[in-house]
Amino acid sequence: MTDTDRGTQRDRNSAFYLFTQQNLPACKPVLTPEWVFMTFLFIGFIFIPVGLVTLRASHSVVEIVERYDIGCVPEPFRINKVSYIQDDSIPKNCSLSFKVPKYMKAPIYIYYQLDNYYQNHRRYVKSRSDKQLLHGQNQHGISSCQPVEVNNDRPIIPCGLIAWSLFNDTFTFIRNRAELKVNRKNIAWKSDREHKFGKNVYPFNFQNGTLIGGGKLNPRIPLSDQEDLIVWMRTSALPSFRKLYGRIEKDLDVDDVVVVHLMNNYNTYSFGGKKKLVLSTTSWLGGKNDFLGLAYVFIGSSSVTIAVVFTLLHLLSHRH
């Protein structure tokens, strides 16, 4: 045998050659009826208990949801809510109360919920400058912030529609005539505070135009500490969303009556949006959401059903 033949033989015995020619040894299991039955039963017996445990964790979460955008509009203005919210001479203070249905263990998370609000609109999402948020007004690439980039020939910090439309309703909670303190620190992601918003970047020329969008910012506080803004700038993918407002770090007992004094400043009436206040506890799995548990139970139940049907078909086929 020549050297050329030996080289060719070695190449044909190499793993790469065998892989490309699909000649590698492989495991080819034979799916017997017994294996199929046992596999589906195993999936069912694993998924159903996991789903039930997940549902139990979700149901252990106590959640209070109160819509306030309609009730906080005085009766004479309910025919034209837009004129009410745009008229600065009309007081926007409002009060609502609710009774705690179950014991709520601290920390109790406070969210504001907006419905029919499309933060995922392409023009809205693009209307921001991440470089400016991190480095300040020395950055000139703010054309993406249109139409809210400059005012009186001076740059706006932070620029863009997202910052301009900052949510600005405020909430104060009273129980037994004593105010419940709301912790508003660490409500934003740590990565956002440290890596996306500058510690030496301060609001400048913000909400100074003729058309005011939402909340104002304290020009003496750097953007990295403006956590309301940081939470708001993380846009939602869906038209109904919740954003964290703060935490109540005291337990609430059953039948406690909580009075909320709020400022109904934010305009959702122009586009038919809804505003809700949400108080919620958490479990080891997070907030209240039955979807994951129901999905596990559904898949497990379907697997057991398929196993039973296959078993019956197999037995009937053997009788014939």
Side-chain angles (χ1 to χ4, degrees), residues 101-119:
K102 294 181 180 179
Y103 171 73
M104 300 182 75
K105 182 176 177 58
I108 300 167
Y109 293 89
I110 306 167
Y111 302 90
Y112 56 88
Q113 177 175 325
L114 299 179
D115 296 332
N116 197 37
Y117 194 119
Y118 289 84
Q119 272 198 318

Side-chain angles (χ1 to χ4, degrees), residues 16 19 55 57 68 73 78 133 153 160 168-169 180 199 206 215 222 229 243 254 257 264 283:
F16 179 76
F19 174 75
L55 282 174
Y68 65 90
V73 179
R78 291 190 180 177
L133 293 172
D153 296 325
N168 62 338
D169 286 2
L180 290 167
K199 292 181 173 59
F206 184 70
L229 174 70
K243 291 185 182 289
V254 182
V257 176
N264 183 28
S283 68

